[in-house]
């Protein structure tokens, strides 16, 4: 009896192909790709075998490493500062913002708290006494807010912003005036006497009740305070600050406590206005009052060293806490100020409210994260459970999801250790998106592991799994990482951080899937080998005790019984390089008489039962018993069965292909039209949850009060004193922009330079009058007015440090020349004088000079002459002109205003004035100027990178080109669908659109790789690729949708619309393009096969060799030349019986026909004729 062959030994009658044989594969064009892929797969095979051998150690070290990285989450920082989130580092806006902070500090001069009143009945007129009384009621409640912190009581008067408080030498009087000085409140109530009720300041004088603005008599106050301090300057201040007239109408706006400097325009107070043909105000639909508070730094500086805070360790942090507590209480009480049964409603908002929204937006929802991962655990477990315990992988599914969760946590922990700040996108979206993407590869490996080739040695099962699926997993993961890195090109810090974090998390997922999950599969294989139950592995499995063995049978005359219509098996080919022709030759050991497949590639040759031992055993038992009944179809139905028997035969018919191409062409055309509907923009109302009070306020503000405070900043580097004309021209150009709110007709536009010049003209007029009347002479100014004395002191200045005074200039020069310009030699000296003598004018100008001019107190009665020496201000490095922008509803309006402002600054730069615009529109909307260009650049670069990665790993540019074509179609279609859904284009959709290229690879590359590595006609290979990849791709899509499902439960409509909806559409598009369009394109335009199935003619082979029991597999014989390389591929070997009389014969295939009858008689045997390089003719 002959010695039985070992598992790795080929049949004894097998002869390697001779060098003189006909070519047996495509001419050496695919030699390098095959060799490189074989080398790469060999590395993966070795990796899998090593992991399986040391699975316990690998699992322990992997969990230990990932767990250690996950601890980095403890040092994570969540960024909620809008400027840090949205302003690109190193950009023009960033540099301008940094310059502003260097000169003025980190914070604005004040913060705004707003009340908006609207009627409950939309469209109702709000300009009624009843509505105004209700507004007063709400404003009074808000103005009386008090909070207790650090043992102190804090009210509005202590923390409000006060503009233009005068400097007084007497400290006690100065503190009393400061307490009495009114807060800046912009309200329509200032048109009436009731506006004074909002001022909570009070002062105490012995023997009389507290002085308040509701009972203040300025003349009497000056008489009572006169004996204590010189109040002549304050008297003129009060003369300028007249009390508002009770009869003043709202038309034209209102004035604050200073008619000269505080005028609130209609647009700041009234919304939804309607006028008659003559321009008179008829009605309005909204009222707005704005309370200004100090910034934390200002509040800290204000009370530093004060007796009220000396015992509490006063700090800037405490000042910020006081302001936040007061603002939250302000919003709460204001919203509750009016009962529900009134005809009006109050919307309140503060800067702290916005911070609270961002904090809530950035918080991790533990319930949704746990719910999402539990749902994924359940799906993975149920999907991978089988009735056959030996094939069930429920525990593997559970372990895989938990491993992905740990990988996500470790990736985020690594990001925290690298200093990448978290934001709302990180906490709200990334855990679910990464879960869906990571579980895709888990399903792919698990499916491949259960479908190992029959007869694979147990110790090589993991190596075989990685050998077949490793390239796909590597390709998808690398493309995802590249995609997210390309998305980091978007110039928005928040989205750049999200993209980098996503790339790192995907990398950790890749490491977990390729290194740690194989150890889990190896342990599960050990569990099945030990006949243990799935999940409950402590119990034995009764179904795994059956041993299935196939005993080879001799087939008479090398024919197959009629009852066996087909046989599909996975075999092993031998590949070596012909030294003479430099061709790669692949051959199979002969098995039986082989006939070509029928012309219909979707016949029973491919779509019969699979080639597992269980199927073969079932066929043999059916033949022996001739059973009349078949097993229930539902018992063996799965996605692969559906793809093999229903989906692929239908999809790959000629008319079905035509329908698919037409439908996807129509979808592409419709998407191109939808792309024209996409608008730019992201309003704050899109971020705030709908139905909340904050959303109601923002909606009302956007509708009625779309005003934005901006400033035109002038920098250093030029001489302000000699550039006055250029500064006036710059202001004029900026004021002429369409979006700039024009001042009232009776008021000329003002800047600090206007205020400064007009003040100089005023004191010049006072001096001229005093000089003419003789109250001021060359030697004395004591009898003149305060303004006349100030002019005297300024007129004698020379600007020369050696000779600073020249009294002969009193009558020979003017403070302002005939052209309206200030003499350059007086410019900086006069600036010091103006800043210290006109606090209300300085406050109204909002100049914010840097360096600030030195302090100087005017004393008209000084006789020493020292008061004549006025220190000159240093050359200015920062100053600003304030403006109001209005009518900005759409992003196009913002972009037009930004472009106009930038053009004005560029033109001024040509005149030597360095300037830039500043304000929220320029911080948050300037990104849209180059967003679409950045988006197109990122997508194009990513498509090129995807092509290169696919071409390098697939080693087939043809296939890489088809993949990139499908990915480009997906991106265009997703962009077009966004237009139909009304989703605006901002940085966040751009990141998703860019990332869609990488995510789309998950749905395409598996099918493409399956097509590339199978044999036969294009239709046959496309069908086989669908059979192999339909289940894991579908499971991956479902897992992605389950991961995204938790986003649908977010409280933020923004998360639902911009992440859940967009990513869900992307998943469905990927599924359709990967499993429908791509197979059709491959069946029409796909590349030729890499390996061609050829059979070497050998006269010694008279009968098929008997395979070793347990599988149909040949190994590499030690006697074969060293140049041979083992390439494992899926090959279909069909054994067809002789057709019975009257049976239907399929028409000829598109491949050359081969049959026993075609064997040349010269061979003297029934052997097969060698097969030439036929696959080139498809």
């Amino acid at each position: 009896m002959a010695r039985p062959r070992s598992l790795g030994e080929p049949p004894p009658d097998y002869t390697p192909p001779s060098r003189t044989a006909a070519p047996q594969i495509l001419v050496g064009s695919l030699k390098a790709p095959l060799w490189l892929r074989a080398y790469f797969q060999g590395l993966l095979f070795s990796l899998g075998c090593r992991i399986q051998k040391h699975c316990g150690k690998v699992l322990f070290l992997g969990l230990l490493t990932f767990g250690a990285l996950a601890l980095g989450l403890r040092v994570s920082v969540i960024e909620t500062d809008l400027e840090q989130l949205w302003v690109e580092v190193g950009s023009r806006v960033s540099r301008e913002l940094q310059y502003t902070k260097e000169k003025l500090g980190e914070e604005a001069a004040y913060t705004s708290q707003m009340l908006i009143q609207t009627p409950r009945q939309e469209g109702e007129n709000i300009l009624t006494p009843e509505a105004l009384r209700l507004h007063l009621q709400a404003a009074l409640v808000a103005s009386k807010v008090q909070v207790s912190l650090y043992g102190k009581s804090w009210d509005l008067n202590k923390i409000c912003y006060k503009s233009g408080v005068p400097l007084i030498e007497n400290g006690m009087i100065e503190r009393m005036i400061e307490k009495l000085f009114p807060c800046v409140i912009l309200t329509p109530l200032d048109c009436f006497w009731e506006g004074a009720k909002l001022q909570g300041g009070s002062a105490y004088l012995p023997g009389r009740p507290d002085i308040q603005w509701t009972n203040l008599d300025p003349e009497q106050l000056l008489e009572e305070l006169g004996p204590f301090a010189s109040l002549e300057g304050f008297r003129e201040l009060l003369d300028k600050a007249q009390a508002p007239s009770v009869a003043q109408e709202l038309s034209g706006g209102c004035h604050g406590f200073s008619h000269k400097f505080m005028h609130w325009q209609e647009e700041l107070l009234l919304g939804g206005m309607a006028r008659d043909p003559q321009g008179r105000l008829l009605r309005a639909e909204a009222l707005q009052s704005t309370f200004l508070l100090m910034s934390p730094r200002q509040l800290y500086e204000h009370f530093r060293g004060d007796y009220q805070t000396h015992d509490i360790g006063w700090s800037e942090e405490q000042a910020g806490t006081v302001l936040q507590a007061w603002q939250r209480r302000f919003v709460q009480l204001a919203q509750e100020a009016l009962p529900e049964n009134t005809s009006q409603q109050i919307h309140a908002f503060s800067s702290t409210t916005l911070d609270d929204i961002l904090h809530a937006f950035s918080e991790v929802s533990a319930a949704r994260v746990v719910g999402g991962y539990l749902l994924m655990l359940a799906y993975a477990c149920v999907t991978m459970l089988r009735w056959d315990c030996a094939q069930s992988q429920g525990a593997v599914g559970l372990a895989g999801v938990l491993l992905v969760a740990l990988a996500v946590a470790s990736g985020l922990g690594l990001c925290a250790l690298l200093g990448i700040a978290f934001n709302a996108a990180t906490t709200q979206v990334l855990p679910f998106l990464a879960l869906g993407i990571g579980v895709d590869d888990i399903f792919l490996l698990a499916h491949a592991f259960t479908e190992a080739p029959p007869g694979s040695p147990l110790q090589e099962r993991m190596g075989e799994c990685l050998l077949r699926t490793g390239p796909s997993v590597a390709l998808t993961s690398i493309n995802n990482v590249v995609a997210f890195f390309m998305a980091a090109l978007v110039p928005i810090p928040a989205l750049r951080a999200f993209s980098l974090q996503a790339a790192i998390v995907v990398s950790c997922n890749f490491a977990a899937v390729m290194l740690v999950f194989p150890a889990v599969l190896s342990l599960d294989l050990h569990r099945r080998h030990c006949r243990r139950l799935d999940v409950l592995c402590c119990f034995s499995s009764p179904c795994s005790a059956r041993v299935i063995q196939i005993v080879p049978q001799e087939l008479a005359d090398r024919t197959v019984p009629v009852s066996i219509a087909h046989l599909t098996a996975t075999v092993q080919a031998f590949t070596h390089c012909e030294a003479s022709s430099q061709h790669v030759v692949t051959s199979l050991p002969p098995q039986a008489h082989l006939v070509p497949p029928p012309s219909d590639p979707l016949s029973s040759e491919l779509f019969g039962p699979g080639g597992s031992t269980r199927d073969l055993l079932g066929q043999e038992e059916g033949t022996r018993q001739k059973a009349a009944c078949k097993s229930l179809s539902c018992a063996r139905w799965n996605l692969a069965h559906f793809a093999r028997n229903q989906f692929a035969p239908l999809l790959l018919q000629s008319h079905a292909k035509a329908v698919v191409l037409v439908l996807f062409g129509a979808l592409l055309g419709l998407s191109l039209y939808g792309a024209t509907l996409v608008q730019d923009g992201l309003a704050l109302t899109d971020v705030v949850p709908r139905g909340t009070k904050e959303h109601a306020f923002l909606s009302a503000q956007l509708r009625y009060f779309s005003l934005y405070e901006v400033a035109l900043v002038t920098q250093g580097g030029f001489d302000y004193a000699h550039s006055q004309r250029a500064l006036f021209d710059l202001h004029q150009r900026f004021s002429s922009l369409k979006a700039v709110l024009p001042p009232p007709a009776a008021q000329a536009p003002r800047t600090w330079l206007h205020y400064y010049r007009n003040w100089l003209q005023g004191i010049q007029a006072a001096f001229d009058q005093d000089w003419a009347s003789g109250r001021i002479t060359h030697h004395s100014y004591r009898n003149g007015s305060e303004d006349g004395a100030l002019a005297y002191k300024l007129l004698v200045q020379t600007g020369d440090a050696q000779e600073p005074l020249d009294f002969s200039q009193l009558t020979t020069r003017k403070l302002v020349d005939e052209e309206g310009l200030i003499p350059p030699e007086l410019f900086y000296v006069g600036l010091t004088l103006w800043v210290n003598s006109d606090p209300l004018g300085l406050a109204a100008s909002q100049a914010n000079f840097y360096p600030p001019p030195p302090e100087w107190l005017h004393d008209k009665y000084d006789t020493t002459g020292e008061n004549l020496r006025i220190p000159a201000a240093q050359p200015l490095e920062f100053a600003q002109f304030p403006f109001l922008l209005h009518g900005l509803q759409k992003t196009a309006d913002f972009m037009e205003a930004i472009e106009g402002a930038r053009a004005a600054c560029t033109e001024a730069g040509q005149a030597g004035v360095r300037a830039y615009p500043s304000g929220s529109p320029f911080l948050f909307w300037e990104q849209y100027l180059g967003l679409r260009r950045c988006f197109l650049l990122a997508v194009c670069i990513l498509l090129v990178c995807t092509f290169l990665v696919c071409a390098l790993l697939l080693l087939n540019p043809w296939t890489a080109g088809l993949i990139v074509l499908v990915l480009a179609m997906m991106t265009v279609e997703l962009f077009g669908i966004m237009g139909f859904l009304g989703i605006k284009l901002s940085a966040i959709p751009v990141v998703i659109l860019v990332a869609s290229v990488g995510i789309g690879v998950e749905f395409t590359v598996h099918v493409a790789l399956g097509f590339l590595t199978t044999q036969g006609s294009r239709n046959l290979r496309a069908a086989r690729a669908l059979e192999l990849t339909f289940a894991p791709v579908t499971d991956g899509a479902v897992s992605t949708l389950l991961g995204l499902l938790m986003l649908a439960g977010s409280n933020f409509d923004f998360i639902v619309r911009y992440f859940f909806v967009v990513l869900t559409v992307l998943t469905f598009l990927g599924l359709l393009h990967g499993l429908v369009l791509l197979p059709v394109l491959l069946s029409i335009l796909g590349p030729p096969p890499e390996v061609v199935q050829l059979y070497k003619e050998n006269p010694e082979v008279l009968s098929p060799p008997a395979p070793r029991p347990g599988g149909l597999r040949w190994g590499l014989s030690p006697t074969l030349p060293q140049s041979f390389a083992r390439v494992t591929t899926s090959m279909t070997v069909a054994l067809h019986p002789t057709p019975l009389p009257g049976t239907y014969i399929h028409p000829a295939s598109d491949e050359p026909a081969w049959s026993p009858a075609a064997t040349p008689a010269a061979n003297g045997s029934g052997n097969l004729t060698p097969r030439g390089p036929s696959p080139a003719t498809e």
Side-chain angles (χ1 to χ4, degrees):
M1 181 178 294
R3 177 184 62 84
R5 295 187 307 277
S6 63
L7 184 64
E9 185 178 346
D13 50 7
Y14 174 73
T15 303
S18 63
R19 295 182 180 179
T20 59
Q24 295 174 320
I25 198 170
L26 291 174
V27 179
S29 59
L30 297 179
K31 172 175 59 178
L34 281 176
W35 185 89
L36 290 175
R37 187 178 300 122
Y39 179 76
F40 181 54
Q41 288 179 320
L43 295 178
L44 292 175
F45 180 82
S46 301
L47 175 66
C49 292
R50 290 179 180 274
I51 292 176
Q52 182 174 345
K53 182 178 180 180
H54 305 284
C55 56
K57 300 175 183 177
V58 171
L59 183 61
F60 174 76
L61 292 177
L63 295 179
L64 185 64
T65 302
F66 286 121
L69 290 176
L71 293 178
L73 289 172
R74 300 180 60 182
V75 298
S76 61
V77 177
I78 298 180
E79 183 63 71
T80 58
D81 185 356
L82 281 177
E83 293 179 0
Q84 298 295 326
L85 292 173
W86 290 99
V87 179
E88 179 188 6
V89 178
S91 65
R92 175 174 60 183
V93 175
S94 176
R95 294 192 300 270
E96 294 167 353
L97 186 62
Q98 183 63 30
Y99 185 85
T100 301
K101 290 182 176 180
E102 287 177 359
K103 306 306 178 184
L104 298 185
E106 296 287 334
E107 299 170 339
Y110 52 81
T111 59
S112 300
Q113 334 308 310
M114 290 162 283
L115 295 179
I116 294 179
Q117 178 179 323
T118 58
R120 296 188 186 274
Q121 186 67 32
E122 186 174 352
E124 188 175 300
N125 184 23
I126 203 169
L127 298 183
T128 62
E130 178 189 0
L132 287 173
R133 282 194 293 269
L134 291 174
H135 193 75
L136 173 63
Q137 178 181 339
L140 277 174
V141 171
S143 66
K144 305 304 180 186
V145 170
Q146 290 187 353
V147 294
S148 296
L149 283 174
Y150 311 114
K152 311 293 180 181
S153 179
W154 306 89
D155 58 15
L156 176 64
N157 193 57
K158 287 184 178 180
I159 64 175
C160 71
Y161 176 75
K162 298 183 179 182
S163 174
V165 180
L167 295 176
I168 301 175
E169 290 182 298
N170 189 307
M172 182 186 70
I173 302 300
E174 183 181 17
R175 283 193 296 269
M176 189 182 71
I177 294 299
E178 183 182 346
K179 290 180 180 180
L180 184 61
F181 208 84
C183 299
V184 178
I185 303 174
L186 288 68
T187 175
L189 299 172
D190 275 344
C191 285
F192 308 95
W193 176 84
E194 282 77 5
K197 294 183 178 181
L198 302 182
Q199 299 295 341
S202 63
Y204 172 75
L205 284 178
R208 60 169 298 171
D210 288 349
I211 304 173
Q212 298 180 353
W213 275 93
T214 53
N215 61 14
L216 174 63
D217 183 349
E219 295 295 334
Q220 182 181 357
L221 178 64
L222 290 178
E223 291 178 2
E224 295 180 359
L225 296 181
F228 302 99
S230 174
L231 298 177
E232 289 300 318
F234 190 54
R235 182 186 299 275
E236 294 194 6
L237 171 65
L238 292 178
D239 288 341
K240 298 174 183 177
Q242 306 164 15
S245 172
V246 176
Q248 181 79 28
E249 297 180 0
L250 284 171
S251 180
C254 301
H255 293 80
F257 63 88
S258 171
H259 268 209
K260 181 177 180 180
F261 296 110
M262 295 185 176
H263 178 261
W264 321 135
Q265 294 179 247
E266 287 179 346
E267 290 80 2
L268 292 171
L269 308 177
L270 305 176
M273 293 179 288
R275 301 179 184 275
D276 62 10
Q278 288 73 36
R280 291 191 295 267
L281 181 64
L282 292 179
R283 62 194 310 275
E285 297 179 12
L287 300 174
Q288 177 175 255
S289 292
T290 305
F291 297 74
L292 302 186
L293 304 183
M294 287 187 282
S295 66
R297 177 172 298 178
Q298 286 178 323
L299 185 60
Y300 165 70
E301 294 290 345
H302 182 73
F303 282 100
R304 186 175 62 173
D306 191 271
Y307 73 94
Q308 301 180 66
T309 58
H310 73 281
D311 59 337
I312 61 174
W314 184 242
S315 65
E316 188 172 342
E317 182 180 356
Q318 290 176 321
T321 303
V322 169
L323 288 171
Q324 291 176 359
W326 193 93
Q327 289 172 326
R328 292 189 181 98
R329 187 64 174 165
F330 167 88
V331 172
Q332 177 187 356
L333 294 182
Q335 291 173 342
E336 299 172 354
L338 300 185
E340 293 291 335
N341 58 358
T342 59
S343 61
Q344 307 292 315
Q345 55 185 346
I346 292 292
H347 311 289
F349 198 80
S350 71
S351 56
T352 299
T353 306
L354 181 59
D355 293 338
D356 291 342
I357 291 174
L358 291 175
H359 279 289
F361 191 43
S362 303
E363 288 180 355
V364 180
S365 175
R368 287 196 298 115
V369 171
V370 172
Y373 279 74
L374 287 178
L375 184 62
M376 188 66 73
L377 283 170
Y379 174 76
C381 182
V382 171
T383 303
M384 302 179 74
L385 278 174
R386 298 289 185 272
W387 289 109
D388 186 352
C389 302
Q391 298 296 325
S392 182
Q393 290 183 304
V396 170
L398 294 175
V401 174
L402 293 176
L403 179 61
V404 171
L406 179 61
V408 172
S410 65
L412 293 177
L414 179 59
C415 294
L417 294 174
L418 293 175
I420 304 177
F422 290 12
N423 55 65
T426 307
T427 57
Q428 297 283 335
V429 178
L430 190 54
F432 306 104
L433 179 61
L435 173 65
I437 294 176
V439 173
D440 293 352
D441 294 332
I442 294 293
F443 281 118
L444 184 64
L445 259 69
H447 276 282
F449 193 70
T450 58
E451 298 175 359
S456 298
L458 191 66
Q459 65 271 19
E460 296 181 2
R461 290 290 296 274
M462 198 61 246
E464 291 284 353
C465 178
L466 287 186
L467 181 145
R468 289 183 295 150
T469 61
S472 295
V473 174
L475 187 58
T476 56
S477 298
I478 291 174
N479 272 284
N480 276 326
V481 172
V482 172
F484 282 116
F485 274 125
M486 287 298 105
L489 293 176
V490 176
I492 306 298
L495 281 309
R496 179 169 294 170
F498 171 78
S499 302
L500 293 176
Q501 288 162 346
I504 293 174
V505 168
V506 171
S507 300
C508 289
N509 275 342
F510 176 55
V513 170
M514 292 294 289
L515 299 178
V516 183
F517 188 64
V520 175
L521 290 174
S522 301
L523 290 175
D524 186 69
L525 180 64
H526 182 70
R527 186 266 309 170
R528 287 189 287 169
H529 182 70
C530 295
R531 305 174 186 177
R532 298 285 182 178
L533 283 174
D534 189 16
V535 182
L536 304 175
C537 56
C538 295
F539 300 94
S540 298
S541 168
C543 58
S544 61
R546 293 181 296 167
V547 178
I548 299 174
Q549 183 175 7
I550 296 179
V551 179
Q553 301 178 10
E554 294 292 336
L555 301 178
D557 299 328
R558 297 179 301 280
T559 60
V560 182
V562 175
S563 60
I564 302 180
H566 46 263
L567 172 63
T568 302
T570 301
V571 299
Q572 188 161 316
F574 300 104
T575 299
H576 76 287
C577 180
E578 289 279 3
S580 59
S581 60
Q582 294 298 314
H583 292 162
V584 176
V585 178
T586 301
S587 58
L588 289 173
Q591 291 180 263
H593 282 181
L594 300 170
V595 296
S599 62
D600 181 6
L602 310 180
S603 65
S604 60
E605 172 196 4
L606 176 67
F607 299 108
S612 67
T613 54
R614 182 170 285 100
D615 292 330
L616 297 177
L617 182 61
Q619 291 174 7
E620 183 64 22
E621 290 177 353
T623 302
R624 187 182 303 116
Q625 300 174 3
K626 300 187 181 297
C629 60
K630 297 182 179 180
S631 61
L632 294 176
S633 59
C634 62
R636 64 174 184 269
W637 190 94
N638 53 36
L639 290 175
H641 181 277
F642 168 75
R644 181 173 62 241
N645 295 318
Q646 282 87 33
F647 183 71
L650 177 64
L651 178 66
L652 297 179
Q653 296 179 12
S654 299
H655 64 276
K657 294 180 185 178
V659 171
V660 167
L661 293 178
V662 170
L663 289 179
F664 275 91
L667 177 61
L668 181 61
L670 196 63
S671 300
L672 289 174
Y673 170 72
T676 63
L677 305 178
V678 178
Q679 299 179 356
D680 295 342
L682 177 63
L684 195 55
T685 51
D686 295 331
V687 179
V688 178
R690 296 180 184 271
T692 61
K693 295 179 179 179
E694 292 81 6
H695 187 274
F697 171 87
L698 293 172
S699 300
Q701 185 188 46
L702 183 63
R703 178 178 180 182
Y704 297 117
F705 301 99
S706 185
L707 293 171
Y708 296 88
E709 295 182 359
V710 299
L712 186 59
V713 176
T714 53
Q715 303 173 260
F718 70 96
D719 188 357
Y720 281 72
H722 290 86
S723 304
Q724 297 175 57
R725 178 59 61 193
L727 289 172
F728 285 126
D729 292 342
L730 172 60
H731 176 265
Q732 180 60 36
R733 282 192 296 269
F734 206 92
S735 300
S736 62
L737 296 178
K738 175 184 175 182
V740 173
L741 180 66
Q747 180 180 342
R750 294 286 182 87
T751 67
W752 64 267
L753 196 55
H754 288 95
Y755 283 106
Y756 178 26
R757 183 185 64 181
N758 293 349
W759 180 80
L760 290 176
Q761 289 173 337
I763 64 173
Q764 178 72 61
F767 173 82
D768 292 342
Q769 185 178 359
D770 290 342
W771 182 271
S773 62
R775 291 193 296 270
I776 293 181
T777 64
H778 275 91
H779 306 290
S780 176
Y781 53 81
R782 296 183 61 183
N783 295 327
S785 62
E786 291 286 337
D787 286 349
L790 287 172
Y792 179 96
K793 294 180 178 181
L794 188 56
L795 285 169
V796 299
Q797 305 295 320
T798 64
D800 185 1
Q802 301 296 329
E803 298 289 339
L805 303 177
D806 185 358
F807 294 94
S808 64
Q809 300 178 150
L810 282 172
T811 56
T812 60
R813 69 189 305 183
K814 295 291 183 181
L815 298 178
V816 179
D817 62 20
E818 295 178 354
E819 296 182 359
L821 302 179
I822 304 167
E825 64 273 12
L826 291 180
F827 187 86
Y828 287 107
V829 177
L831 191 63
T832 300
L833 201 64
W834 173 61
V835 166
N836 289 277
S837 304
D838 189 17
L840 277 179
L842 176 64
S845 72
Q846 302 180 37
N848 287 329
F849 293 128
Y850 183 86
E855 289 188 3
W856 178 83
L857 289 176
H858 167 58
D859 184 2
K860 190 174 68 171
Y861 302 101
D862 178 57
T863 58
T864 63
E866 288 298 323
N867 201 239
L868 288 176
R869 299 182 180 273
I870 305 173
Q874 298 181 32
L876 293 176
E877 298 178 14
F878 184 96
Q880 62 183 21
F881 305 154
F883 292 93
L884 282 176
L885 301 184
H886 73 124
L888 304 181
Q889 297 288 339
K890 300 179 179 179
T891 303
D893 301 329
F894 286 94
M895 294 174 66
E896 180 182 357
I898 292 171
E899 289 173 347
R902 291 294 182 186
C905 293
T906 301
E907 188 174 349
Q910 297 173 356
V913 175
R914 300 177 57 193
Y916 62 85
S918 176
S920 57
F922 304 97
L923 291 179
F924 307 123
W925 275 272
E926 188 156 341
Q927 56 173 293
Y928 295 104
L929 294 178
L931 185 62
R932 295 201 176 217
R933 178 185 57 81
C934 181
F935 163 56
L936 290 176
L937 178 64
V939 170
C940 292
I941 293 176
L942 179 55
L943 288 175
V944 172
C945 292
T946 301
F947 174 80
L948 295 176
V949 171
C950 291
L952 289 175
L953 293 184
L954 293 178
L955 301 168
N956 192 302
W958 191 338
T959 306
L962 288 177
I963 292 175
V964 169
L965 173 64
V966 173
L967 295 177
M969 290 181 61
M970 286 176 54
T971 304
V972 173
E973 289 164 5
L974 180 61
F975 189 67
I977 292 174
M978 284 172 47
F980 289 114
L981 294 176
I983 297 176
K984 298 179 182 179
L985 184 67
S986 63
I988 293 174
V990 163
V991 167
I992 297 178
L993 286 167
V994 174
S996 67
V997 178
I999 297 174
V1001 174
E1002 297 274 354
F1003 301 98
T1004 55
V1005 73
H1006 304 310
V1007 178
L1009 188 59
F1011 177 87
L1012 196 61
T1013 56
T1014 53
Q1015 303 170 25
S1017 65
R1018 288 189 175 100
N1019 271 4
L1020 188 66
R1021 293 156 62 205
R1024 179 61 177 163
L1026 279 174
E1027 178 188 1
L1028 295 175
T1029 61
F1030 190 89
V1033 170
T1034 302
D1035 282 337
V1038 174
S1039 67
T1040 301
L1041 291 175
L1042 289 177
L1044 299 175
L1045 185 61
M1046 291 299 101
L1047 299 178
S1050 174
N1051 297 327
F1052 294 89
D1053 184 66
F1054 170 78
I1055 293 292
V1056 176
R1057 284 174 53 81
Y1058 283 80
F1059 283 99
F1060 171 72
V1061 172
V1062 175
L1063 289 172
T1064 300
V1065 171
L1066 171 60
T1067 303
F1068 280 110
L1069 286 177
L1071 201 60
L1072 290 175
H1073 286 74
L1075 297 181
V1076 178
L1077 178 61
L1078 183 59
V1080 170
L1081 290 178
L1082 289 172
S1083 68
I1084 300 173
L1085 304 173
E1090 292 182 339
V1091 179
V1092 179
Q1093 185 173 315
L1094 299 177
Y1095 305 96
K1096 175 72 175 114
E1097 181 180 9
N1098 186 359
E1100 299 179 5
V1101 179
L1102 300 177
S1103 61
R1108 181 179 177 181
L1112 300 175
R1113 177 187 175 101
W1114 285 268
L1116 184 64
S1117 172
T1119 62
L1120 291 177
Q1122 293 297 324
S1123 60
F1124 277 75
R1126 188 177 75 177
V1127 178
T1128 301
T1129 183
S1130 179
M1131 299 182 181
T1132 301
V1133 182
L1135 305 180
H1136 289 268
T1138 304
L1140 297 176
T1143 57
Y1144 173 74
I1145 305 298
H1146 289 282
S1149 171
D1150 55 355
E1151 296 186 356
W1154 299 94
S1155 66
T1159 306
N1163 291 335
S1165 66
N1167 296 334
L1168 296 174
T1169 302
R1171 195 169 175 185
S1174 58
T1177 61
E1178 280 200 12

